[in-house]
Amino acid sequence: MVYHVIMNENLINALSLRSEYTKAEKMIVKAIIDDTDFVISHSVTDFAHAISVSTASIVRFCKKAGLSGYPELRLELAKYTKDNVKTEECNDSDVANARSVDGVVSHVISSTKQSIECLRELVDKDDVQKVVEAVLSSRNILIAGIGASSLAAQDLQQKLARIGIFSHFGQSEDFQFVQLVSMSEKDLLILFSYSGNTAFIRKLAENAKNRGIKTVAITKTGKNHLASIADIVLRVSSRESVLREGASVSRIEQLMLVDIIYYSIILAKQGSLDRIVATWDAVKKE
């Protein structure tokens, strides 16, 4: 099924400037226009194979279109398709507009459903696999996040511990820098930041980069400082409302990404299920 799409200005311009593209990029543009649904529902590897171009060419096209990468291209196409999620549906109305408890309940549940659907379009299985490999091959893991993002960071630390992977989460910002100083290129830094521009998180990422430490960023779509310097980036949608409702949308999506990472590691790490059962036995009450 071919969709008629109304896209953001950068993407509209990118699709219209065919004469300025390479042969491969022209094929990409044609494929997007001819069968948008295929792009929305398939990975970058599948898309590249279908039109006989390299994944690198697709990524370069996305950059020219002002997008962070292929996952954001899929999200933009999905948001603006006639039969898919509309733009206004991927942007939360402020909870302050609710006039009753019933309205609040409806708003929060609707917001959560939309959050799940938007995240589905952003998750790139190749990037998730890279995170899994980085976690399993690292000597030490430092996990950082502040505010609402710290909840997801701590959740990841606790989940990793259940399957025998020990990581560090410092409650003190100063202590996290102390831990980073003792790390090397054999270690891993995982950073949670919705905005990607929090001063403390930026400083941690910059220090890690200077020390050759691999960095994973979990942040929102679009350009931000953290995403620009991290080695691997997993995205949540840019859809917080004005009040941010306690950062509920970003928190939910970050926690979902934690679960995706966790279960993907369980699949890859032999003996993980046995360890989980052992933790149940260790804490159950007689």
Side-chain angles (χ1 to χ4, degrees):
M1 178 178 182
V2 177
Y3 289 108
H4 300 288
V5 295
I6 306 172
M7 288 160 276
N8 67 42
E9 186 175 352
N10 285 338
L11 194 47
I12 290 172
N13 291 337
L15 294 177
S16 63
L17 299 175
R18 298 191 193 190
S19 61
E20 298 181 16
Y21 290 139
T22 64
K23 181 180 178 181
E25 289 168 343
K26 289 177 181 178
M27 293 171 65
I28 294 168
V29 172
K30 185 178 186 303
I32 291 173
I33 294 174
D34 288 349
D35 196 352
T36 306
D37 185 47
F38 183 89
V39 182
I40 292 171
S41 59
H42 287 76
S43 70
V44 64
T45 304
D46 293 339
F47 182 34
H49 178 73
I51 61 175
S52 301
V53 303
S54 67
T55 56
S57 294
I58 296 174
V59 172
R60 282 194 295 270
F61 169 80
C62 292
K63 300 294 185 182
K64 285 187 178 181
L67 305 174
S68 60
Y70 185 74
E72 191 173 3
L73 171 65
R74 293 173 63 195
L75 180 64
E76 284 296 325
L77 294 175
K79 285 196 300 183
Y80 292 92
T81 52
K82 181 175 64 176
D83 296 329
N84 212 316
V85 182
K86 302 294 188 295
T87 304
E88 58 270 20
E89 293 174 340
C90 270
N91 292 314
D92 288 325
S93 58
D94 210 348
V95 72
N97 293 328
R99 302 303 181 190
S100 65
V101 172
D102 183 61
V104 171
V105 171
S106 297
H107 172 87
V108 172
I109 292 175
S110 175
S111 173
T112 302
K113 288 180 179 178
Q114 292 163 21
S115 177
I116 293 170
E117 290 305 317
C118 286
L119 184 63
R120 183 198 300 275
E121 300 300 331
L122 282 174
V123 175
D124 187 306
K125 64 182 181 182
D126 294 330
D127 287 334
V128 172
Q129 183 60 38
K130 290 177 183 177
V131 174
V132 171
E133 292 170 358
V135 168
L136 293 178
S137 63
S138 295
R139 182 188 62 177
N140 294 304
I141 302 171
L142 175 61
I143 305 174
I146 59 176
S149 295
S150 70
L151 300 176
Q154 292 177 73
D155 187 46
L156 177 60
Q157 182 201 26
Q158 292 171 11
K159 281 184 165 65
L160 292 180
R162 294 194 65 190
I163 53 177
I165 299 174
F166 298 100
S167 58
H168 307 277
F169 176 85
Q171 298 290 343
S172 162
E173 294 181 9
D174 288 341
F175 186 59
Q176 291 193 47
F177 277 110
V178 169
Q179 290 177 299
L180 188 66
V181 168
S182 65
M183 294 171 67
S184 72
E185 66 278 356
K186 296 180 181 180
D187 302 319
L188 178 67
L189 174 64
I190 303 177
L191 297 166
F192 289 78
S193 174
Y194 173 73
S195 71
N197 293 313
T198 305
F200 163 65
I201 296 297
R202 288 176 56 175
K203 188 175 179 182
L204 266 181
E206 290 166 356
N207 273 265
K209 187 176 183 66
N210 291 337
R211 297 177 62 83
I213 300 167
K214 181 171 287 188
T215 305
V216 173
I218 297 176
T219 186
K220 70 177 183 178
T221 58
K223 295 181 179 179
N224 64 62
H225 187 77
L226 179 58
S228 69
I229 62 176
D231 297 295
I232 310 169
V233 182
L234 297 181
R235 301 281 188 169
V236 298
S237 58
S238 307
R239 44 192 298 272
E240 292 286 12
S241 63
V242 175
L243 291 184
R244 287 196 68 194
E245 303 161 17
S248 60
V249 171
S250 60
R251 184 182 68 246
I252 289 167
E253 293 189 19
Q254 286 178 343
L255 288 170
M256 290 172 65
L257 278 176
V258 166
D259 282 348
I260 289 170
I261 294 168
Y262 174 61
Y263 289 118
S264 297
I265 292 173
I266 288 174
L267 288 175
K269 188 175 188 292
Q270 188 173 8
S272 293
L273 291 178
D274 291 336
R275 287 182 178 274
I276 292 172
V277 172
T279 62
W280 288 340
D281 291 339
V283 299
K284 73 179 180 180
K285 296 180 179 179
E286 295 297 334

